[in-house]
Amino acid sequence: MPQRPIYLDCHATTPLDDRVLKAMLPYFTEHFGNPSSINHVYGWEAEAAVKQARQLLAAAIHATPEEIIFTSGATEANNLALKGVAEAYFQKGRHIITVETEHSAVLDPCQYLRSLGFEVTLLPVQSDGLIDLAQLEQAFRPETILVSVMAANNEIGVLQPLAEIGRLCRDRQVLFHTDAAQAIGKIPLDVEAMKFDLMSMTAHKVYGPKGIGALYVRRRNPRVRLSPQLHGGGHERGMRSGTLYPPQIVGFARAVELALAEQATETKRLNQLRQQLWQQLSQLDGIHLNGHPTQRLPGNLNISVEGVDGAALLLGLQPIMAVSSGSACSSATTAPSHVLTALGHSEQLAYASIRFGIGRFNTADEIDKVAQHAIATIQSLRKQATLV
Ligand SMILES: *Cc1c(COP(=O)(O)O)cnc(C)c1O
């Protein structure tokens, strides 16, 4: 059996931590009850586990348990936030502000809302991937109801100035939503300090299971109204019907609990590994770092490589490392990444890009191996190019 490539695609998904799996297992088997069953112990056990998980997740972001609405992941949470606010507030206004570099799970619902008559302003980003706060200020209109800006970008890892954005929104009584799929557990998130009114989360980017996430929905100062997108049994305070999934919910909470407990040491370790990778790769000419050099997720390194074909580069790297080029989520298409083109890159440079997502289980030895192989691959492709 050939060895599998080193996994460095932690922005696409992360491996499930064994400690998370251990917490989940009893809720598949002996504690299989429906948390909505109020007449017997099976339901009570499941309900107790969900309650504890909800408390833990709420505490992790300085929210209250009632403000956590479980969903199938961040895609659903984003859809609920954007469409739910649009439907509940359209009489107040029909203007939404978001950013060019958002995930498609924000951009596509916004596009859909446009087709219903909403107006959407897409803010550009600066060459470092961060928005310009002055441009945001200018984009507000009397009819603006919502601003949606992601916490951490899934391609270039940049961290937007959330507290400043929150302040601008709160001053104007405009709701602020953030897609924190990449940020939860990795950077401190505080719904009070950052003035979030809605925040999307997911478990599978933080060593938890796939298929579970949540939307934080503020209940006080202001109380956010939301039009449900799934109607049915009235679960989750009527905002999201459907039987809760205790194993996933327990796993989600355990994953966030572990990430928070280890955040300080893990941030330091991942920063070192990223630095180690960048120091080796940047010895080559024509390697560009995409995104702000320090305002970014610790495990993210995104580079563009001059003088090589993007597809050939990825093919050459594949036997040794599992990485992504462009956007993982749109890798079925051959279009260059909308995030890299938003930075002002030429199409060719946006194509020849690699996203390294370093995570909890990567080691310094792996990073050395990856760096050496990437350097050899780039050198060999450049040599071939000059021979043609
Ligand atoms: C992964 C991701 C999503 C989608 O989350 P799912 O839980 O897989 O639906 C949304 N936004 C960002 C920024 C992501 O990285």
Side-chain angles (χ1 to χ4, degrees):
M1 266 281 278
Q3 243 195 327
R4 295 214 296 170
I6 295 165
Y7 190 78
L8 280 175
D9 203 9
C10 284
H11 305 295
T13 195
T14 51
L16 188 77
D17 192 300
D18 282 340
R19 296 169 291 180
V20 172
L21 178 64
K22 194 160 166 270
M24 292 168 67
L25 285 174
Y27 294 93
F28 285 108
T29 52
E30 62 260 46
H31 304 308
F32 63 85
N34 182 336
S36 301
S37 299
I38 54 170
N39 296 316
H40 49 69
V41 69
Y42 299 90
W44 303 334
E45 287 165 359
E47 156 64 12
V50 167
K51 186 177 173 192
Q52 200 189 354
R54 200 187 292 281
Q55 278 169 346
L56 197 148
L57 288 166
I61 58 170
H62 299 118
T64 62
E66 301 74 32
E67 294 174 316
I68 302 293
I69 306 297
F70 287 113
T71 64
S72 62
T75 299
E76 190 193 329
N78 287 343
N79 273 267
L80 177 57
L82 294 157
K83 297 180 199 168
V85 164
E87 285 178 11
Y89 290 85
F90 73 95
Q91 279 165 327
K92 186 173 174 234
R94 297 182 189 194
H95 179 235
I96 294 169
I97 301 171
T98 185
V99 184
E100 274 182 7
T101 51
E102 291 289 313
H103 192 274
S104 53
V106 165
L107 293 176
D108 287 8
C110 284
Q111 192 58 36
Y112 169 74
L113 289 170
R114 242 181 206 158
S115 77
L116 298 184
F118 286 84
E119 285 188 76
V120 180
T121 298
L122 281 184
L123 293 176
V125 294
Q126 306 169 100
S127 60
D128 60 7
L130 297 177
I131 65 163
D132 177 350
L133 290 168
Q135 274 182 333
L136 170 59
E137 265 192 278
Q138 283 165 9
F140 284 103
R141 303 181 197 166
E143 60 275 16
T144 307
I145 51 173
L146 181 67
V147 170
S148 181
V149 180
M150 69 201 319
N153 187 272
N154 49 298
E155 290 191 40
I156 54 175
V158 298
L159 309 175
Q160 297 291 354
L162 299 171
E164 287 84 350
I165 298 168
R167 155 72 37 217
L168 292 177
C169 293
R170 189 61 61 83
D171 285 350
R172 291 162 180 77
Q173 296 184 351
V174 171
L175 296 178
F176 178 27
H177 166 250
T178 191
D179 175 352
Q182 296 287 344
I184 180 79
K186 315 229 178 81
I187 59 167
L189 290 170
D190 180 328
V191 300
E192 290 309 326
M194 293 163 174
K195 300 191 165 47
F196 299 143
D197 298 305
L198 301 124
M199 177 168 94
S200 301
M201 298 168 261
T202 192
H204 77 97
K205 310 274 173 80
V206 63
Y207 313 95
K210 294 170 188 59
I212 186 71
L215 180 66
Y216 157 77
V217 184
R218 178 176 289 281
R219 286 241 287 175
R220 197 166 283 137
N221 305 320
R223 182 186 183 93
V224 176
R225 286 180 290 126
L226 211 54
S227 178
Q229 302 299 304
L230 288 180
H231 300 86
H235 306 79
E236 302 298 89
R237 294 174 39 234
M239 291 190 201
R240 201 278 190 181
S241 287
T243 300
L244 291 174
Y245 192 179
Q248 305 303 91
I249 289 170
V250 167
F252 181 17
R254 182 73 179 126
V256 169
E257 184 181 31
L258 290 168
L260 289 190
E262 297 167 5
Q263 197 174 74
T265 48
E266 187 62 358
T267 297
K268 210 168 140 211
R269 196 185 72 89
L270 290 176
N271 265 323
Q272 278 167 358
L273 291 181
R274 185 197 36 218
Q275 199 51 29
Q276 179 188 339
L277 183 56
W278 174 242
Q279 265 168 7
Q280 296 185 58
L281 293 175
S282 59
Q283 281 168 12
L284 290 175
D285 291 330
I287 307 282
H288 304 269
L289 176 69
N290 293 316
H292 195 282
T294 53
Q295 281 283 106
R296 65 195 298 145
L297 288 172
N300 176 281
L301 184 71
N302 190 311
I303 61 168
S304 284
V305 184
E306 282 178 31
V308 299
D309 174 67
L313 177 58
L314 209 62
L315 211 64
L317 299 179
Q318 256 168 16
I320 301 297
M321 65 196 84
V323 291
S324 282
S325 81
S327 167
C329 306
S330 61
S331 57
T333 71
T334 51
S337 146
H338 71 285
V339 174
L340 298 182
T341 45
L343 301 182
H345 283 323
S346 73
E347 290 219 343
Q348 198 266 333
L349 216 54
Y351 270 120
S353 71
I354 318 170
R355 177 183 71 178
F356 297 95
I358 311 168
R360 184 176 289 168
F361 304 108
N362 291 120
T363 64
D365 282 350
E366 285 180 337
I367 296 300
D368 278 340
K369 197 171 161 196
V370 160
Q372 281 156 24
H373 183 75
I375 289 168
T377 306
I378 292 165
Q379 282 174 331
S380 137
L381 285 172
R382 283 178 174 170
K383 206 162 169 186
Q384 283 170 31
T386 57
L387 293 178
V388 181

